[in-house]
Amino acid sequence: MTLLVTGGAGFIGSNFIFYWMKHYPEDRVICVDKLTYAGNIAALQPMMDRPNFRFCHLDICDRDGIERLFEDERPDIVVNFAAESHVDRSIESPEIFLTTNIVGTSVLMDACRRYGIRRFHQISTDEVYGDLPLDRPELLFTEETPLKTSSPYSSSKAAADLLVRAYHRTYGLPVTISRCSNNYGPYQHQEKLIPRMIFKALTDEPLPVFGQGLNVRDWLYVDDHCRAIDLILHKGRVGEIYNIGGHNEMRNIDIVRLICHELGKPENLIIFVEDRKGHDLRYAIDPSKIHRELGWLPETKFEDGLKRTIQWYLDNRE
């Protein structure tokens, strides 16, 4: 089988490629990445000499380039990780998010329609649901929760999800969508909360936390996410959405304190800064559907995953 992975030099995409080639060493994997600031080609170096791996420096919005690639490779499955994903950047410069996340997704699906595929899988986010109140812990996002976006980033991802579902209904394209909670683990760009705090703590820099750090996120170790995508590709129902959550709700301030503790750094490094515009209060996913239908549950406890992540950054500073 030939698998086309877009955004494969990014954080989750590269981890997914490692996962797939470990579990399915006979498959051919084609990685497409534009190599923006968030793409790290060095992460894929261990794959480069494998005869069943190919890297393509390509923008998913490049319709001609994508068409040529599909003509050459005729992929069986497309997994679309490619996205602009940083909320703060989307607030400053929305247009690139709309272009990559919406137009790029349509370019890929048009190629899928033309050349035929077994599955197009869209990697989405729990941020398309908006947020939940801090004082209602019983409330969780389900696949039926209405879309209620808060940022240009989440709006662009919600639009892409709607487009994917429209291609399924209008053209019969075999699609699935997964909406995951916040991922963490190796190779994550240091603009994100956990690696950013690790790097700053290592150099004894101030650790800036939005507001009072009370915003809650549901954290998912990246290997658990990769395993969930694997199950969806092999056993998931075409046309369905699957929420992937970590059962690890944590306040931002508590995560930063844990990082300080693990690195032996004083908590007085923590400073509180002006809150993000439109900052969502709480994300929390109900993964009952993927557990019920596909048997998936997260296996990594947050404390264990965080220790593993910190150690990886300590061992791989370059």
Side-chain angles (χ1 to χ4, degrees):
M1 181 168 70
T2 297
L3 194 76
L4 177 65
V5 180
T6 69
F11 164 45
I12 308 177
S14 60
N15 276 279
F16 180 75
I17 288 173
F18 295 144
Y19 170 94
W20 197 269
M21 298 197 78
K22 175 182 177 182
H23 290 85
Y24 305 101
E26 301 303 315
D27 285 351
R28 179 164 171 77
V29 175
I30 313 301
C31 172
V32 170
D33 203 289
K34 185 181 177 181
L35 293 180
T36 65
Y37 74 95
N40 180 11
I41 190 65
L44 296 171
Q45 202 58 46
M47 301 288 116
M48 291 301 187
D49 293 331
R50 296 201 180 188
N52 60 334
F53 178 80
R54 176 185 174 188
F55 176 79
C56 297
H57 184 193
L58 184 62
D59 185 347
I60 62 170
C61 296
D62 179 353
R63 189 174 295 274
D64 291 340
I66 291 295
E67 291 275 339
R68 287 193 297 270
L69 181 60
F70 270 70
E71 177 68 33
D72 290 343
E73 295 290 351
R74 302 295 175 114
D76 300 292
I77 291 176
V78 175
V79 184
N80 183 29
F81 290 96
E84 295 286 345
S85 67
H86 196 251
V87 173
D88 292 337
R89 290 179 186 267
S90 82
I91 293 171
E92 296 298 323
S93 304
E95 184 175 355
I96 184 62
F97 287 74
L98 307 181
T99 302
T100 298
N101 298 355
I102 303 172
V103 175
T105 300
S106 72
V107 168
L108 289 171
M109 291 193 294
D110 285 341
C112 289
R113 288 176 54 216
R114 180 172 177 180
Y115 290 95
I117 53 160
R118 287 158 51 179
R119 182 73 61 82
F120 177 87
H121 183 71
Q122 173 74 359
I123 304 296
S124 188
T125 171
D126 58 359
E127 294 188 47
V128 300
Y129 298 124
D131 64 352
L132 296 167
L134 295 175
D135 59 354
R136 296 286 303 279
E138 76 280 5
L139 294 180
L140 303 170
F141 296 138
T142 73
E143 289 81 359
E144 305 304 319
T145 300
L147 304 185
K148 187 182 177 183
T149 59
S150 303
S151 68
Y153 161 61
S154 58
S155 297
S156 68
K157 292 298 287 184
D161 286 5
L162 294 173
L163 197 60
V164 171
R165 302 196 79 183
Y167 269 62
H168 172 61
R169 176 154 182 172
T170 303
Y171 305 114
L173 192 70
V175 308
T176 41
I177 297 171
S178 58
R179 293 171 177 161
C180 66
S181 55
N182 282 42
N183 278 221
Y184 68 104
Y187 297 104
Q188 191 170 27
H189 192 276
Q190 61 182 348
E191 70 183 359
K192 302 294 186 176
L193 176 67
I194 289 177
R196 186 183 188 201
M197 295 302 159
I198 293 172
F199 277 105
K200 286 185 174 294
L202 286 173
T203 53
D204 296 311
E205 295 181 50
L207 308 179
V209 175
F210 283 130
Q212 296 299 309
L214 303 181
N215 305 72
V216 173
R217 300 294 182 261
D218 177 16
W219 292 89
L220 176 69
Y221 191 63
V222 66
D223 284 354
D224 287 332
H225 186 191
C226 294
R227 186 166 45 84
I229 298 167
D230 182 4
L231 285 168
I232 294 170
L233 292 175
H234 282 102
K235 299 179 180 179
R237 289 185 289 138
V238 169
E240 292 295 311
I241 298 169
Y242 292 93
N243 281 351
I244 308 172
H247 285 303
N248 280 312
E249 286 188 53
M250 298 282 294
R251 300 189 307 175
N252 290 346
I253 185 62
D254 295 328
I255 289 175
V256 179
R257 286 169 177 160
L258 272 173
I259 291 170
C260 288
H261 175 74
E262 289 295 326
L263 292 174
K265 299 294 183 176
E267 290 186 13
N268 63 12
L269 287 175
I270 299 171
I271 61 171
F272 296 105
V273 298
E274 182 180 355
D275 209 353
R276 169 189 288 162
K277 296 176 181 178
H279 201 175
D280 287 336
L281 295 175
R282 172 176 169 255
Y283 302 151
I285 275 185
D286 179 359
S288 298
K289 179 178 177 178
I290 193 171
H291 173 58
R292 182 177 65 252
E293 293 190 10
L294 308 181
W296 180 88
L297 281 175
E299 296 178 351
T300 308
K301 294 181 179 179
F302 182 78
E303 292 77 8
D304 296 337
L306 184 63
K307 289 179 180 179
R308 202 180 307 168
T309 300
I310 290 173
Q311 191 58 53
W312 185 88
Y313 281 105
L314 289 173
D315 294 340
N316 294 275
R317 297 193 191 196
E318 72 283 2

